[in-house]
């Protein structure tokens, strides 16, 4: 589903508090002031990533550093293996990792931790190195310590408003996955005793969460050495 790129009025922020609230009450250290908030472009985002060797999202023309974490990265990588293996085996589409930018509107570029794009939705005209120009079918977020409830609420709203069909919100500390199938219905909360399914979005995908959690939390070979 192509996302809207209609022109918007550049946001104005009276105070830093206003800016942080609009972004979901995220920590101030994740917000870049150069370019001035509200004036950043996709070109600025790319330049900042190359300069700083960090990942940035573009939110209302504001450069925001993507939250990261080594433990959460392990959870993401393992889920990517499971998901990509299934998608590849059944030729369902493509899977992108945390450095796969998705344009969700003018001055709006998100980078889900994982995303799945079906062949039906995939814009094959995308040039190498460009942002994906459609919303993914599935977006996955693995919560890091600097993510906030407000940030996740805003992200969910943007995802569904631009055409995402399914969102998995993974909380490693609580050992649970919250599954969102619409912007209005409450999340289905899954724990280690449950199976995560792709439903109609990723047909046939099933993952025993207890297996994934155990691998992500492993600290060495079974039985030791």
């Amino acid at each position: 589903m192509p996302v809207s790129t209609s022109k918007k009025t550049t946001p104005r922020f009276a105070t830093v508090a206003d800016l942080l609230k609009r972004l979901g009450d995220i920590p101030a250290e994740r917000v870049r002031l150069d370019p001035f908030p509200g004036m950043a472009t996709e070109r600025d985002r790319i330049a900042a990533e190359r300069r700083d060797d960090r990942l940035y999202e573009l939110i209302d023309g504001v450069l925001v550093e993507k939250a990261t974490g080594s433990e959460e990265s392990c959870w993401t990588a393992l889920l990517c293996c499971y998901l990509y293996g299934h998608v590849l085996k059944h030729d369902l589409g493509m899977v992108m990792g945390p450095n796969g930018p998705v344009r969700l509107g003018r001055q709006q570029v998100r980078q889900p931790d994982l995303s799945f794009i079906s062949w039906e939705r995939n814009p094959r005209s995308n040039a190498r190195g460009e942002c994906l120009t459609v919303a993914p079918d599935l977006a996955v977020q693995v919560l890091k310590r600097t993510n906030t409830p407000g940030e996740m609420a805003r992200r969910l709203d943007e995802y569904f408003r631009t055409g995402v069909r399914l969102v998995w919100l993974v909380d490693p500390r609580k050992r649970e996955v919250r599954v969102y199938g619409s912007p209005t219905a409450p999340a289905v909360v899954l724990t280690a005793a449950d199976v995560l399914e792709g439903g109609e979005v990723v047909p046939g995908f099933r993952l025993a969460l207890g297996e994934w959690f155990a691998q992500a939390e492993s600290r060495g070979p079974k039985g030791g050495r």
Side-chain angles (χ1 to χ4, degrees):
M1 175 180 176
V3 298
S4 171
T5 55
S6 59
K7 189 173 182 179
K8 296 180 180 179
T9 302
T10 301
R12 299 297 179 185
F13 311 104
T15 67
V16 172
D18 291 336
L19 171 60
L20 295 178
K21 182 176 182 180
R22 186 183 184 96
L23 296 174
D25 295 314
I26 64 174
E29 58 266 25
R30 287 176 52 200
V31 181
R32 294 296 171 266
L33 300 181
D34 182 19
F36 190 80
M39 304 300 293
T41 65
E42 289 187 39
R43 184 174 296 179
D44 294 321
R45 185 192 67 80
I46 294 170
E49 288 191 341
R50 291 173 177 170
R51 180 187 67 238
D52 302 339
D53 195 24
R54 298 178 182 180
L55 296 178
Y56 290 101
E57 295 185 307
L58 182 64
I59 308 171
D60 294 342
V62 182
L63 284 183
V64 177
E65 184 178 350
K66 181 175 169 63
T68 59
S70 57
E71 179 182 352
E72 296 85 355
S73 177
C74 178
W75 285 65
T76 302
L78 284 169
L79 180 57
C80 184
C81 290
Y82 287 118
L83 183 62
Y84 182 70
H86 178 80
V87 168
L88 182 64
K89 179 180 179 180
H90 299 283
D91 195 22
L92 298 176
M94 68 179 192
V95 176
M96 297 198 307
N99 60 342
V102 178
R103 182 185 298 128
L104 298 180
R106 183 176 179 271
Q107 293 187 310
Q108 210 77 4
V109 175
R110 289 290 192 178
Q111 300 204 58
D113 292 318
L114 284 177
S115 54
F116 161 72
I117 305 92
S118 62
W119 289 136
E120 291 77 14
R121 185 174 284 199
N122 179 32
R124 297 175 186 271
S125 60
N126 257 47
R128 188 179 298 274
E130 288 187 350
C131 283
L132 188 71
T133 55
V134 299
D137 296 83
L138 165 70
V140 182
Q141 296 296 150
V142 179
L143 289 175
K144 287 81 173 176
R145 297 187 184 279
T146 61
N147 288 136
T148 65
E151 179 184 8
M152 291 300 105
R154 169 166 182 161
R155 188 182 291 270
L156 284 168
D157 175 70
E158 288 179 12
Y159 283 162
F160 284 113
R161 184 158 35 85
T162 55
V164 173
R165 301 168 59 197
L166 181 66
V167 177
W168 295 340
L169 193 60
V170 183
D171 191 331
R173 279 160 289 284
K174 291 184 178 180
R175 303 182 87 244
E176 68 179 28
V177 179
R178 297 199 288 276
V179 178
Y180 295 85
S182 82
T184 55
V188 175
V189 180
L190 304 179
T191 66
D194 298 310
V195 174
L196 179 64
E197 299 185 356
E200 295 181 356
V201 179
V202 192
F205 180 79
R206 290 173 55 85
L207 173 60
L209 291 182
E211 176 185 339
W212 173 30
F213 293 174
Q215 289 183 334
E217 295 167 342
S218 174
R219 293 297 179 266
K222 294 179 181 179
R225 290 186 177 180

